[in-house]
Amino acid sequence: MSRIVYVNGNFVPESEAKVSIFDRGFLFADGVYEVTPVVKGKLVDYDALVVRLDRSLGELKMSWPCTKTELRQMHEELIKQNKLDEGIIYMQVTRGVADRMFNFPKDIKSTLVAFPQVMKLVDNPNAKTGVKVVTTPDLRWARRDIKTVMLLPPCLGKEEAYQKGAAEAWMVEDGKVTEGTSSNAYIVKDNKIITRPISNSILNGCTRRALFRMAKEHQVEIEERLFTPEEAYAADEAFLTSASQFVMPITEIDGKRIGGGQVGPVVRKMRELFLEEAQKG
Ligand code: PDD
């Protein structure tokens, strides 16, 4: 089925959606993006995304492509026109179209595109068994806090994971896990969740933020600190979070079984809490 997508103010069939070859997103990866989960036709945790988008745009001195109200309406219209029940809305803002030059062209209008993707978020079968992860060097730049479309290193990592029969790669820098190629990374030891603190080294995940809030509400302890792959191998549980995976158990890292290869109680509980809230709408 052909989707209706959004390009610079227009809702069009995907086959008619066009962006210039001079778009700086295409030439320089000069753009940012966001992914919002949709459950039962409703946006999940949308406001957190707007805050992060605003920050990403600001850090790159890029202007907003529309008002915040228009952006929300655009998301809702895409859900409606595509009758999207469950999945994600992907949106991307690039600096705009100009002759190729490295410095920022003056007075250009940013490009805004968005599209839906149908996905099974709630009944994702991977959540029952847990997924496998491999570790790989973190090849990314020094501003991973900005959600840019410059995603070749994460694509290389994810492809490596897939080649090895895993679902995600945890990237490692200076001997410590930074995060997944498209998710934040966690281990659990003695019922305590351990995850890397927010800095320029990782993306401040909206799902991570929601997890922190829920953990606090339910007296689950979280310790923010760096951890090594070796510590992860010896953890009781491990998991990842992202807009498209929510809270996803990990049962194997680099071929080593975590928690005896079973989904553990802490991650199960955190996923349940997350699903409960997402389904409430
Ligand atoms: N990725 N870290 C990285 C590097 C990510 O790309 C993502 C999300 C996250 C989790 O952020 P959030 O919880 O806000 O989704 C962490 C999205 C899902 C993607 O690129 O498809």
Side-chain angles (χ1 to χ4, degrees), residues 4 9 14 41 43 54 58 80 96 105 120 129 138 142 163 168 190 192 200 217 220 224 226 230 233 250 280:
I4 299 296
E14 62 181 72
L43 297 161
D54 190 47
K80 198 167 133 199
K120 252 188 184 315
T129 53
D138 197 332
Q163 292 296 335
E168 178 60 301
D190 300 327
K192 193 199 305 176
N200 291 352
E217 283 164 11
V220 178
E224 288 185 273
L226 278 54
E230 291 69 29
Y233 303 152
I250 293 168
K280 255 192 243 156

Tab-separated table of all heavy atoms in Angstrom, residues 4 9 14 41 43 54 58 80 96 105 120 129 138 142 163 168 190 192 200 217 220 224 226 230 233 250 280:
chain	number	residue	atom	x	y	z
A	4	ILE	N	0.862	7.965	2.316
A	4	ILE	CA	0.824	9.417	2.146
A	4	ILE	C	1.952	9.958	3.010
A	4	ILE	O	2.063	9.618	4.191
A	4	ILE	CB	-0.530	10.002	2.619
A	4	ILE	CG1	-1.683	9.416	1.801
A	4	ILE	CG2	-0.503	11.523	2.527
A	4	ILE	CD1	-1.669	9.750	0.323
A	9	GLY	N	5.026	21.072	3.521
A	9	GLY	CA	3.674	21.654	3.517
A	9	GLY	C	2.645	20.843	2.763
A	9	GLY	O	1.451	21.149	2.823
A	14	GLU	N	3.634	8.648	-1.684
A	14	GLU	CA	5.102	8.556	-1.569
A	14	GLU	C	5.800	8.589	-2.926
A	14	GLU	O	6.921	9.093	-3.025
A	14	GLU	CB	5.508	7.321	-0.764
A	14	GLU	CG	5.094	5.994	-1.358
A	14	GLU	CD	5.521	4.822	-0.471
A	14	GLU	OE1	4.915	4.638	0.594
A	14	GLU	OE2	6.449	4.104	-0.842
A	41	GLY	N	-3.204	4.552	17.299
A	41	GLY	CA	-3.444	5.783	16.540
A	41	GLY	C	-3.068	7.057	17.274
A	41	GLY	O	-3.402	8.156	16.832
A	43	LEU	N	-0.006	9.502	19.299
A	43	LEU	CA	1.423	9.763	19.487
A	43	LEU	C	1.813	9.470	20.929
A	43	LEU	O	1.074	9.823	21.845
A	43	LEU	CB	1.715	11.235	19.189
A	43	LEU	CG	1.443	11.683	17.752
A	43	LEU	CD1	1.307	13.204	17.673
A	43	LEU	CD2	2.564	11.201	16.830
A	54	ASP	N	14.012	20.839	19.241
A	54	ASP	CA	14.342	22.252	19.418
A	54	ASP	C	15.827	22.401	19.774
A	54	ASP	O	16.527	23.252	19.243
A	54	ASP	CB	13.459	22.821	20.533
A	54	ASP	CG	13.559	24.327	20.604
A	54	ASP	OD1	13.460	24.969	19.543
A	54	ASP	OD2	13.763	24.863	21.713
A	58	GLY	N	18.782	24.048	17.478
A	58	GLY	CA	19.546	25.155	18.076
A	58	GLY	C	21.049	24.908	18.020
A	58	GLY	O	21.828	25.799	17.660
A	80	LYS	N	-3.777	10.098	10.517
A	80	LYS	CA	-5.150	10.024	9.998
A	80	LYS	C	-5.167	9.561	8.535
A	80	LYS	O	-5.852	8.606	8.188
A	80	LYS	CB	-5.776	11.417	10.118
A	80	LYS	CG	-7.278	11.426	10.040
A	80	LYS	CD	-7.818	12.775	10.482
A	80	LYS	CE	-8.851	13.219	9.460
A	80	LYS	NZ	-9.100	14.653	9.533
A	96	GLY	N	18.201	22.933	4.156
A	96	GLY	CA	17.526	23.449	2.969
A	96	GLY	C	18.333	23.257	1.705
A	96	GLY	O	19.316	22.503	1.679
A	105	PRO	N	24.578	28.574	3.905
A	105	PRO	CA	24.027	29.570	2.981
A	105	PRO	C	23.062	30.494	3.737
A	105	PRO	O	22.416	30.063	4.687
A	105	PRO	CB	23.256	28.726	1.961
A	105	PRO	CG	23.641	27.317	2.217
A	105	PRO	CD	24.129	27.214	3.609
A	120	LYS	N	5.182	-3.343	14.691
A	120	LYS	CA	4.567	-3.951	15.875
A	120	LYS	C	5.364	-3.500	17.094
A	120	LYS	O	6.477	-3.990	17.314
A	120	LYS	CB	4.642	-5.472	15.757
A	120	LYS	CG	3.297	-6.136	15.476
A	120	LYS	CD	3.497	-7.648	15.577
A	120	LYS	CE	2.307	-8.482	15.245
A	120	LYS	NZ	1.039	-8.199	15.709
A	129	THR	N	11.472	-13.179	23.877
A	129	THR	CA	12.685	-13.996	23.941
A	129	THR	C	13.917	-13.175	24.329
A	129	THR	O	14.905	-13.716	24.797
A	129	THR	CB	12.972	-14.599	22.555
A	129	THR	OG1	12.993	-13.531	21.609
A	129	THR	CG2	11.906	-15.605	22.166
A	138	ASP	N	32.978	2.441	18.687
A	138	ASP	CA	32.123	3.593	18.390
A	138	ASP	C	32.878	4.519	17.439
A	138	ASP	O	33.873	5.138	17.820
A	138	ASP	CB	31.761	4.326	19.689
A	138	ASP	CG	30.570	5.247	19.496
A	138	ASP	OD1	30.364	5.731	18.359
A	138	ASP	OD2	29.835	5.469	20.466
A	142	ALA	N	31.892	13.639	17.828
A	142	ALA	CA	31.905	14.000	19.248
A	142	ALA	C	30.614	14.657	19.732
A	142	ALA	O	30.513	15.011	20.899
A	142	ALA	CB	33.091	14.927	19.522
A	163	GLN	N	24.872	-9.245	10.435
A	163	GLN	CA	25.724	-10.294	9.855
A	163	GLN	C	26.050	-11.362	10.885
A	163	GLN	O	26.266	-12.522	10.545
A	163	GLN	CB	27.038	-9.684	9.329
A	163	GLN	CG	26.885	-8.763	8.123
A	163	GLN	CD	26.375	-9.485	6.883
A	163	GLN	OE1	26.555	-10.689	6.734
A	163	GLN	NE2	25.697	-8.758	6.005
A	168	GLU	N	21.225	-5.784	17.507
A	168	GLU	CA	21.763	-4.453	17.795
A	168	GLU	C	23.254	-4.573	18.099
A	168	GLU	O	23.734	-5.645	18.497
A	168	GLU	CB	21.007	-3.849	18.994
A	168	GLU	CG	21.458	-2.477	19.479
A	168	GLU	CD	21.358	-1.347	18.450
A	168	GLU	OE1	22.001	-1.467	17.373
A	168	GLU	OE2	20.679	-0.349	18.722
A	190	ASP	N	21.947	-6.835	40.717
A	190	ASP	CA	21.302	-6.795	42.035
A	190	ASP	C	20.089	-5.860	42.028
A	190	ASP	O	19.959	-4.987	42.908
A	190	ASP	CB	22.323	-6.365	43.112
A	190	ASP	CG	23.496	-7.337	43.174
A	190	ASP	OD1	23.278	-8.545	42.934
A	190	ASP	OD2	24.631	-6.887	43.438
A	192	LYS	N	19.455	-3.328	40.404
A	192	LYS	CA	19.721	-1.914	40.117
A	192	LYS	C	20.027	-1.759	38.618
A	192	LYS	O	20.836	-2.521	38.067
A	192	LYS	CB	20.921	-1.459	40.954
A	192	LYS	CG	21.071	0.050	40.974
A	192	LYS	CD	22.442	0.516	41.378
A	192	LYS	CE	22.932	0.002	42.704
A	192	LYS	NZ	24.329	0.455	42.959
A	200	ASN	N	27.736	14.543	25.818
A	200	ASN	CA	27.812	14.623	24.353
A	200	ASN	C	28.109	13.261	23.713
A	200	ASN	O	28.078	13.128	22.497
A	200	ASN	CB	28.899	15.610	23.924
A	200	ASN	CG	28.523	17.031	24.259
A	200	ASN	OD1	27.396	17.290	24.682
A	200	ASN	ND2	29.438	17.963	24.077
A	217	GLU	N	9.022	6.306	40.078
A	217	GLU	CA	7.657	6.104	40.596
A	217	GLU	C	7.485	4.727	41.224
A	217	GLU	O	6.651	4.538	42.099
A	217	GLU	CB	6.632	6.247	39.458
A	217	GLU	CG	6.373	7.691	39.061
A	217	GLU	CD	5.672	7.813	37.694
A	217	GLU	OE1	5.199	6.795	37.140
A	217	GLU	OE2	5.629	8.938	37.185
A	220	VAL	N	12.421	1.698	41.602
A	220	VAL	CA	13.497	0.904	40.989
A	220	VAL	C	14.723	1.825	40.914
A	220	VAL	O	14.642	2.930	40.391
A	220	VAL	CB	13.109	0.417	39.571
A	220	VAL	CG1	14.252	-0.369	38.937
A	220	VAL	CG2	11.849	-0.438	39.621
A	224	GLU	N	23.679	5.980	37.331
A	224	GLU	CA	24.222	6.498	36.073
A	224	GLU	C	25.744	6.467	36.146
A	224	GLU	O	26.349	7.265	36.860
A	224	GLU	CB	23.732	7.923	35.839
A	224	GLU	CG	22.274	8.008	35.469
A	224	GLU	CD	21.864	9.421	35.134
A	224	GLU	OE1	21.508	10.144	36.074
A	224	GLU	OE2	21.934	9.816	33.957
A	226	LEU	N	29.445	4.719	33.778
A	226	LEU	CA	29.936	3.967	32.625
A	226	LEU	C	30.082	2.488	33.003
A	226	LEU	O	30.313	2.169	34.173
A	226	LEU	CB	31.294	4.521	32.182
A	226	LEU	CG	31.270	5.772	31.288
A	226	LEU	CD1	30.469	6.909	31.874
A	226	LEU	CD2	32.682	6.231	30.974
A	230	GLU	N	32.657	-6.303	29.623
A	230	GLU	CA	32.883	-7.438	30.540
A	230	GLU	C	31.871	-7.405	31.691
A	230	GLU	O	31.350	-8.437	32.114
A	230	GLU	CB	34.319	-7.403	31.105
A	230	GLU	CG	35.401	-7.704	30.089
A	230	GLU	CD	35.589	-6.607	29.020
A	230	GLU	OE1	35.324	-5.422	29.323
A	230	GLU	OE2	35.985	-6.947	27.881
A	233	TYR	N	28.639	-8.661	30.391
A	233	TYR	CA	28.570	-10.134	30.251
A	233	TYR	C	28.150	-10.771	31.580
A	233	TYR	O	27.489	-11.808	31.599
A	233	TYR	CB	29.927	-10.738	29.854
A	233	TYR	CG	30.554	-10.203	28.587
A	233	TYR	CD1	31.946	-10.204	28.415
A	233	TYR	CD2	29.765	-9.707	27.553
A	233	TYR	CE1	32.531	-9.723	27.262
A	233	TYR	CE2	30.357	-9.213	26.390
A	233	TYR	CZ	31.727	-9.223	26.253
A	233	TYR	OH	32.302	-8.729	25.115
A	250	ILE	N	17.614	-7.917	26.452
A	250	ILE	CA	18.769	-8.487	25.734
A	250	ILE	C	19.167	-9.755	26.481
A	250	ILE	O	19.349	-9.729	27.704
A	250	ILE	CB	19.943	-7.487	25.732
A	250	ILE	CG1	19.582	-6.250	24.898
A	250	ILE	CG2	21.231	-8.142	25.202
A	250	ILE	CD1	20.546	-5.089	25.069
A	280	LYS	N	-2.357	3.768	27.207
A	280	LYS	CA	-3.353	4.669	27.806
A	280	LYS	C	-3.671	5.826	26.880
A	280	LYS	O	-4.752	6.339	26.838
A	280	LYS	CB	-2.815	5.217	29.134
A	280	LYS	CG	-3.454	4.569	30.342
A	280	LYS	CD	-3.105	5.336	31.580
A	280	LYS	CE	-2.287	4.482	32.532
A	280	LYS	NZ	-1.458	5.260	33.438
